[in-house]
Amino acid sequence: MDKKNTHYKKTSGIVLGILLLCLYFSVQAHAVGIVSGRYLTRTATELTLEVKLGSPTPVNLIIIQQLPPGTAPASANPPYKKYNAKKGEVRWLLRKVQPGTLRVQLKLSSPVKPDQVSAEIRCMDPTTGKLVTTQVP
Amino acid sequence: MADQDIQRSGVAMIRIDGSRVRQLREGQGLTQLYLATAVEVTTDTISRWENHHYPTIKRENGLRLAEALGVELEEILGKPDETAEPVEDSPPSSPATRVGIPLKKYNLLLNIGLAVMIPVVIGLMIWKKQPESGEIQIEATRSLPTACAPGLTFPVLITVHTGREMVLLVREHVPDGVEILKTVPDATSQADNTLKWIRKEGGEQLLTGYLARSAGEYGTQFTFSGSIAVRQEQKQEADISGDNAIRLEPLHWADTNGDFIINDDEILEVYDKFGGLSELGVDLDSIEEIWMGSGYRWNKNDQTIEILP
């Protein structure tokens, strides 16, 4: 009987664990659905980041491109707002974005290896009001 | 038959010494399961026998028990003058039960019951929340910074959720010591520390806001209150919920965590909250400047924000 009780407790625990995992992944899926990104171009001196905006669309975005420290941007479209040479971070603040796709182009003053570059997209989830961060490896 | 034999419904019963049974079992390194199998009862039954001092069991079971323990029946019998405690013998073919229901079925019924009850309860809660027929659901929320430097202009936003066009009266009581600089839209009346707007617009969301500033010592707290009212078939009124207090500190109002830096979270929150009411004229550019820099400090003498490069 003790064995049966233990079996039922284990089963209930597993079912609860699966439900919680489903809930967690559904929340993550929702967050991923809001915004996603990928590199269309990642050469030694040119980066093109494509950002897709899902529904509901966040109103404002912050895009951070991580470069090797000391790698200065040569030009950007749209223009970036902030560059931290020490951290190698280039930041954009894009306001009142529209649903769909947008591209961020960055030309670098010195070459980098593709695996030395990554990006992060931050926005407020219109549904929850929480900050959502999406990594672009 | 031994003296301990008792007749119960025609079945010969004997009284055994539960602790002696346990002693014999443990002394031989035997398990309750082994005994249960040998006697053809459940392990629960063996446990009950061992835990009752002098349980009364079927003679037949007593014989099997003694045989399984490798002793004579007399070895496990209880003393004649001890009070017998009749203990039901549960045969293994009927599994251990809880309140007369087989355990497996009990758990199944419990799970089904929960699966039915939880949605019903949630459904009732949602149904309860629905407005009664004829009642309009109105909700208003205030966004107010937690802290702000004395003399620095800060915004207050009141968001009303209506869902449809209606005439609304928005009433906001501003505490003494707070000066109103601008209202959007223009307040219908502004007297005795009370702002009033009469709004007749539709849509999901109605934005009303004002710019204010206050003076005083650090630590002074100002509390705001307000309500919205609508008159359709019957008058309905609701308090404005959300933020209702601001404290004077040497901080920019957008610096919600008070670390003298405007970070990504904070600037996004400012833009998301106040970007929809651009006519209010919140100085988003200077907030952006602080965000782009390494921080700020509050100059108490000039009552200005100094942006650090």
Side-chain angles (χ1 to χ4, degrees):
Chain A
M1 285 310 106
D2 290 337
K3 275 190 183 172
K4 280 188 181 172
N5 270 341
T6 309
H7 168 73
Y8 288 127
K9 279 181 190 170
K10 272 187 188 169
T11 309
S12 304
I14 290 167
V15 168
L16 186 62
I18 290 170
L19 282 172
L20 285 171
L21 271 172
C22 288
L23 185 63
Y24 171 77
F25 284 118
S26 70
V27 168
Q28 295 300 309
H30 169 73
V32 166
I34 295 169
V35 65
S36 63
R38 64 175 182 145
Y39 276 101
L40 294 176
T41 315
R42 194 158 26 179
T43 66
T45 54
E46 192 166 331
L47 306 167
T48 304
L49 176 68
E50 181 183 75
V51 177
K52 279 190 180 169
L53 299 156
S55 181
T57 306
V59 182
N60 308 291
L61 286 183
I62 288 176
I63 296 171
I64 305 155
Q65 291 209 54
Q66 188 70 51
L67 310 172
T71 308
S75 66
N77 183 25
Y80 60 87
K81 286 283 186 180
K82 196 170 166 182
Y83 167 60
N84 185 321
K86 209 170 171 182
K87 291 183 183 177
E89 279 181 3
V90 187
R91 284 168 181 265
W92 287 257
L93 174 58
L94 305 176
R95 298 179 52 190
K96 297 181 181 176
V97 292
Q98 299 298 314
T101 306
L102 61 91
R103 286 184 189 180
V104 177
Q105 290 170 321
L106 180 64
K107 288 187 180 172
L108 306 175
S109 56
S110 52
V112 298
K113 291 179 189 171
D115 60 0
Q116 289 178 307
V117 173
S118 61
E120 208 171 85
I121 305 165
R122 295 182 182 178
C123 61
M124 287 292 191
D125 184 333
T127 310
T128 63
K130 302 280 183 201
L131 182 71
V132 170
T133 301
T134 304
Q135 304 286 345
V136 183
Chain B
M1 259 186 211
D3 289 340
Q4 294 86 353
D5 284 5
I6 305 153
Q7 285 288 339
R8 187 148 44 115
S9 304
V11 177
M13 308 292 284
I14 58 170
R15 194 177 300 129
I16 62 170
D17 184 343
S19 53
R20 180 67 181 143
V21 169
R22 179 190 287 277
Q23 188 184 31
L24 286 167
R25 178 180 64 78
E26 289 178 346
Q28 295 175 63
L30 300 172
T31 62
Q32 287 182 341
L33 178 62
Y34 170 80
L35 288 187
T37 309
V39 181
E40 294 181 17
V41 292
T42 63
T43 51
D44 271 2
T45 301
I46 300 293
S47 177
R48 282 196 297 272
W49 289 348
E50 289 182 355
N51 290 323
H52 283 77
H53 286 302
Y54 298 100
T56 301
I57 67 172
K58 291 179 188 171
R59 182 182 170 78
E60 183 190 341
N61 286 342
L63 287 166
R64 286 186 192 148
L65 184 61
E67 188 181 357
L69 290 168
V71 299
E72 296 299 320
L73 179 62
E74 285 71 26
E75 184 76 31
I76 61 170
L77 290 177
K79 293 178 185 169
D81 57 350
E82 295 296 340
T83 309
E85 294 175 48
V87 178
E88 287 295 329
D89 298 355
S90 301
S93 55
S94 66
T97 62
R98 187 173 297 173
V99 296
I101 304 171
L103 185 62
K104 196 172 178 178
K105 256 193 193 163
Y106 176 85
N107 280 316
L108 181 64
L109 286 171
L110 183 65
N111 288 334
I112 290 171
L114 280 173
V116 168
M117 285 307 298
I118 289 171
V120 166
V121 168
I122 292 171
L124 275 171
M125 282 167 63
I126 292 169
W127 177 69
K128 278 272 183 189
K129 223 179 158 185
Q130 298 299 323
E132 293 168 16
S133 137
E135 193 180 273
I136 302 154
Q137 201 167 18
I138 51 173
E139 201 180 297
T141 314
R142 183 189 303 102
S143 296
L144 170 71
T146 312
C148 187
L152 186 66
T153 303
F154 61 87
V156 183
L157 192 67
I158 298 169
T159 308
V160 181
H161 300 276
T162 59
R164 60 181 214 208
E165 186 173 317
M166 60 181 70
V167 179
L168 281 173
L169 172 63
V170 181
R171 193 184 291 114
E172 173 82 335
H173 181 76
V174 176
D176 287 335
V178 175
E179 180 191 355
I180 303 299
L181 302 171
K182 183 177 181 180
T183 60
V184 173
D186 290 335
T188 310
S189 80
Q190 186 173 338
D192 298 329
N193 290 13
T194 302
L195 300 170
K196 287 182 190 173
W197 293 265
I198 295 176
R199 307 288 306 268
K200 184 187 175 184
E201 282 140 62
E204 283 290 321
Q205 199 170 274
L206 205 61
L207 298 178
T208 304
Y210 57 96
L211 293 178
R213 68 180 170 207
S214 51
E217 298 297 317
Y218 295 146
T220 307
Q221 183 161 293
F222 298 94
T223 305
F224 295 68
S225 62
S227 64
I228 51 168
V230 60
R231 183 182 285 277
Q232 296 283 322
E233 288 87 17
Q234 53 191 7
K235 186 183 175 186
Q236 277 172 248
E237 198 163 331
D239 289 336
I240 299 174
S241 61
D243 308 319
N244 69 345
I246 189 168
R247 200 177 59 251
L248 292 183
E249 300 290 353
L251 296 170
H252 193 289
W253 60 264
D255 179 15
T256 51
N257 64 2
D259 64 352
F260 300 98
I261 294 170
I262 302 290
N263 59 29
D264 292 347
D265 199 352
E266 288 162 341
I267 197 166
L268 283 173
E269 193 175 344
V270 166
Y271 279 131
D272 275 30
K273 260 187 192 168
F274 301 104
L277 203 60
S278 54
E279 313 93 298
L280 199 56
V282 174
D283 192 0
L284 297 173
D285 289 341
S286 73
I287 295 171
E288 205 170 295
E289 292 276 340
I290 301 171
W291 172 73
M292 287 194 289
S294 58
Y296 72 93
R297 61 170 165 251
W298 171 247
N299 185 321
K300 186 179 176 181
N301 297 327
D302 299 343
Q303 294 208 326
T304 55
I305 292 279
E306 289 177 357
I307 298 172
L308 305 175

